[in-house]
Amino acid sequence: MWVLLVLSLLTLAYLFWHKTKGSGAKHPKSLPCLPLVGSLPFLPRHGHQHVNFFKLQEKYGPIYSFRLGSKTTVIIGNHQLAREVLLKKGKEFSGRSKVVTLDILSDNQKGIAFADHGALWQLHRKLALNTFALFKDGNLKLEKIINKEAAVLCDYLATRHGESIDLAEHLSLAVTNIICFICFNFSFKNDDPALKALHNLNFGILEALSQEIWSDRFPGMKIFPSKAVEKIKSCVRMRNELLREILEKRKESFTSDSITNMLDVLIQAKMNADNNNAGLDQDSKLLSDRHMLATIVDIFGAGVETTASVIKWIVAFLLHHPLLKKRIQDDIDQNIGFNREPALSDRNCLVLLEATIREVLRIRPVSPMLIPHKTVVDSSIGNLIIDKDTDVVVNLWALHHSEEEWHRPDLFMPERFLDPTGTQLISPSLSYLPFGAGPRSCVGEMLARQELFLFTALLLQRFDLEIPDDGKLPSLEGNPSLVLQIDPFKVKIKVRQAWKEAQAEESTS
Ligand code: STR
């Protein structure tokens, strides 16, 4: 009895203390909070987290916080505040917290995406950007590489004419090969078992990450066994082993005279650092074999799962909107025809396709809450104090679904990205950041945009993508993990009649 009374008094005191602290010192408004468990009982348990956080805005406004254990998390839900965090004060908010599962993925915060703010992250991000710069023109032009892999995919699909199939695996093979080229100037043969293994392992990792992992919320729970964590560990181990083998083999062909891929860039940076100050250079330590692998692994994960996922979303929305698909195909027929493949320069005339891609990235963002940021110093948002080491989550879903910013945000309407004449692309709202912004923004944005355009243009030029024979339309609900994935679905592949006729004509002329 006494124990109960003391406990309830303590709880009340804690709640009261937290409230006054919240309002007096002008921290963001907080969800209620109990000792030990923090705000856990007050956080919705069901449904998608990004949607739940968006709903909580109705009660708490566009910025609020909650506590789990000793950790405070601030949620940001409008573009004004998001831009302050990502752009205006980007540097102050560019940290990353340690999280059990992300530590496994990143070999303890190495690489780029999950590395904390500091020399390691800065160096590897810079080297990744330098790598992408290699592929701007000439023989290494991204456009050529993408078109080649997209054509291989289409040639394969043509062999499945009339069948209803899941595109996932072959799409993933195509984008894996593009990333493989960027990292190693190497591409897999389509039937290489390693390619399939990579696909399956990535899938396993994302699937395990979509489960509730308690130690990510309460690191102390690491001591209890978790099936999901074990699965991530074993998939990561096997995936890293696969990539390490390729890396070791490709390393042998390195020559300073010709830097043509990410591995070359990393090795060259390491050699330069070693030659500086006879090995005392700090960068050298940050470029060990493990560091190089971690960055390559990041680029693989980020480059494959994201693009493949968005292309699937685009196909799914087109199955739901056959008239839109027809209009895009008419554009392709008029502007490109059938005698050449689509090029990036066609983006100016295929505006409806480009608007469709942008709308898919709005309504189903790849990363609905980006990756959580962390303050590296004491900072502020508006007039609210944000202490050092606070987790800050930008709820991109809220930005992309705000009624104030978008007319009927839940409707799929590519036209919102076009002017009233339907001929010019426009930016209808500032509340749109599909690739994030600022110092942590996506390093692969250019690659991704080019892939999305060229793959969808080529697919629609050659195929009618139709509802499968069982009449099942894909679910548009989604399945959030680190990437908002679409549930597996099938699409009926039909080579377009007009394409067949054009090919027949070409071969007789
Ligand atoms: C996908 C699965 C995998 O095998 C490895 C990775 C590591 C990098 C991750 C990637 C993941 C998912 C998408 C991420 C990417 C880093 C940046 C990207 C989270 C888990 C996004 O921010 C969308």
Side-chain angles (χ1 to χ4, degrees):
M1 178 69 193
W2 277 109
V3 180
L4 255 178
L5 193 69
V6 171
L7 263 181
S8 21
L9 277 176
L10 270 175
T11 310
L12 278 176
Y14 187 81
L15 274 175
F16 185 70
W17 169 78
H18 205 76
K19 266 207 159 132
T20 46
K21 185 183 163 227
S23 55
K26 280 248 175 93
H27 281 78
K29 200 186 269 177
S30 169
L31 264 65
C33 216
L34 296 173
L36 288 176
V37 289
S39 310
L40 188 65
F42 309 99
L43 284 168
R45 292 291 308 279
H46 301 288
H48 295 176
Q49 221 178 19
H50 50 265
V51 179
N52 294 336
F53 285 149
F54 186 34
K55 283 194 193 131
L56 281 173
Q57 278 179 228
E58 287 164 19
K59 184 159 173 207
Y60 292 94
I63 172 167
Y64 58 87
S65 71
F66 60 81
R67 276 177 79 85
L68 288 179
S70 59
K71 217 172 183 181
T72 304
T73 303
V74 172
I75 307 285
I76 307 291
N78 73 20
H79 72 89
Q80 291 88 348
L81 299 173
R83 283 173 186 275
E84 186 172 342
V85 166
L86 300 174
L87 289 162
K88 192 167 151 212
K89 298 182 184 154
K91 218 169 156 201
E92 295 174 21
F93 285 86
S94 65
R96 294 280 195 232
S97 263
K98 269 183 92 61
V99 177
V100 173
T101 50
L102 302 186
D103 270 4
I104 303 171
L105 278 175
S106 61
D107 188 9
N108 263 317
Q109 296 205 297
K110 298 185 185 64
I112 305 171
F114 309 120
D116 199 2
H117 174 94
L120 183 160
W121 163 65
Q122 265 154 347
L123 175 67
H124 283 257
R125 187 177 162 95
K126 189 186 83 192
L127 295 176
L129 291 170
N130 291 352
T131 307
F132 282 114
L134 291 177
F135 293 89
K136 280 221 168 96
D137 6 65
N139 255 347
L140 286 177
K141 209 170 173 193
L142 276 178
E143 182 173 14
K144 277 193 198 163
I145 299 158
I146 300 168
N147 263 334
K148 184 177 147 259
E149 292 303 332
V152 173
L153 172 69
C154 287
D155 288 346
Y156 167 76
L157 292 180
T159 67
R160 308 290 302 265
H161 172 71
E163 290 179 55
S164 299
I165 60 169
D166 185 341
L167 292 179
E169 188 180 321
H170 281 269
L171 255 179
S172 156
L173 304 187
V175 284
T176 302
N177 259 347
I178 296 171
I179 285 293
C180 223
F181 193 86
I182 291 172
C183 290
F184 309 121
N185 292 145
F186 154 81
S187 52
F188 290 103
K189 292 265 170 331
N190 242 356
D191 52 2
D192 190 326
L195 194 55
K196 199 159 176 195
L198 268 177
H199 169 69
N200 292 339
L201 291 169
N202 279 349
F203 181 82
I205 294 171
L206 279 175
E207 193 189 45
L209 278 170
S210 70
Q211 291 163 31
E212 185 148 35
I213 294 173
W214 282 96
S215 51
D216 278 355
R217 297 187 167 200
F218 300 99
M221 293 185 74
K222 228 176 7 184
I223 51 170
F224 299 109
S226 145
K227 271 202 178 132
V229 173
E230 287 314 310
K231 178 154 184 210
I232 298 174
K233 275 191 191 156
S234 79
C235 288
V236 166
R237 199 179 316 117
M238 289 191 271
R239 203 254 334 254
N240 288 7
E241 196 44 44
L242 251 170
L243 289 178
R244 207 179 53 77
E245 271 172 29
I246 303 175
L247 191 147
E248 291 299 332
K249 241 190 241 149
R250 309 305 300 177
K251 240 180 167 178
E252 292 161 13
S253 53
F254 173 83
T255 58
S256 291
D257 318 330
S258 140
I259 302 294
T260 53
N261 60 46
M262 180 168 284
L263 183 61
D264 289 347
V265 170
L266 290 165
I267 298 176
Q268 180 74 63
K270 163 96 171 146
M271 286 170 73
N272 292 347
D274 284 345
N275 292 338
N276 250 346
N277 299 327
L280 290 176
D281 192 284
Q282 142 98 352
D283 283 1
S284 179
K285 282 198 215 97
L286 302 178
L287 287 162
S288 69
D289 285 357
R290 276 176 78 169
H291 281 101
M292 289 192 196
L293 182 65
T295 292
I296 299 243
V297 160
D298 245 13
I299 295 291
F300 258 83
V304 174
E305 295 316 316
T306 50
T307 310
S309 161
V310 182
I311 297 175
K312 282 184 271 173
W313 278 113
I314 297 173
V315 172
F317 274 101
L318 291 177
L319 290 181
H320 279 260
H321 296 85
L323 289 179
L324 170 69
K325 186 194 74 185
K326 177 81 181 46
R327 281 171 59 209
I328 297 174
Q329 284 179 324
D330 288 345
D331 275 356
I332 295 177
D333 297 357
Q334 277 161 26
N335 291 290
I336 302 176
F338 297 101
N339 297 328
R340 67 168 178 91
E341 60 198 11
L344 288 174
S345 51
D346 295 318
R347 275 198 277 197
N348 301 329
C349 40
L350 300 186
V351 286
L352 188 57
L353 174 57
E354 188 61 27
T356 302
I357 296 171
R358 292 189 191 184
E359 177 68 345
V360 170
L361 290 170
R362 179 194 71 81
I363 200 161
R364 293 294 179 270
V366 172
S367 185
M369 297 192 286
L370 304 179
I371 301 173
H373 288 238
K374 185 188 76 177
T375 41
V376 288
V377 289
D378 284 337
S379 183
S380 61
I381 303 176
N383 53 9
L384 299 169
I385 296 169
I386 312 289
D387 299 324
K388 181 172 184 261
D389 288 332
T390 303
D391 279 349
V392 179
V393 170
V394 173
N395 190 1
L396 191 65
W397 182 269
L399 267 69
H400 285 189
H401 286 82
S402 153
E403 300 260 1
E404 285 160 36
E405 296 291 332
W406 304 96
H407 174 62
R408 310 207 47 194
D410 291 331
L411 286 190
F412 179 73
M413 292 196 298
E415 291 79 10
R416 62 173 98 239
F417 286 96
L418 294 175
D419 73 349
T421 67
T423 55
Q424 291 286 329
L425 285 157
I426 55 167
S427 304
S429 163
L430 286 172
S431 198
Y432 181 66
L433 296 170
F435 293 90
R440 284 284 181 175
S441 67
C442 172
V443 288
E445 172 169 354
M446 193 183 63
L447 168 66
R449 287 196 189 275
Q450 297 190 2
E451 287 178 320
L452 296 177
F453 180 80
L454 293 172
F455 270 82
T456 37
L458 201 65
L459 279 172
L460 291 173
Q461 183 189 41
R462 239 173 118 169
F463 300 102
D464 270 324
L465 303 172
E466 290 180 357
I467 299 170
D469 290 329
D470 62 9
K472 246 198 198 154
L473 272 168
S475 154
L476 298 176
E477 167 84 11
N479 199 348
S481 177
L482 268 178
V483 173
L484 178 55
Q485 291 182 295
I486 186 161
D487 287 330
F489 68 94
K490 287 196 170 154
V491 50
K492 184 167 176 175
I493 304 291
K494 274 172 77 182
V495 179
R496 290 178 65 197
Q497 194 54 34
W499 165 272
K500 280 191 203 159
E501 282 161 16
Q503 298 306 303
E505 217 167 84
E506 202 169 277
S507 60
T508 54
S509 65

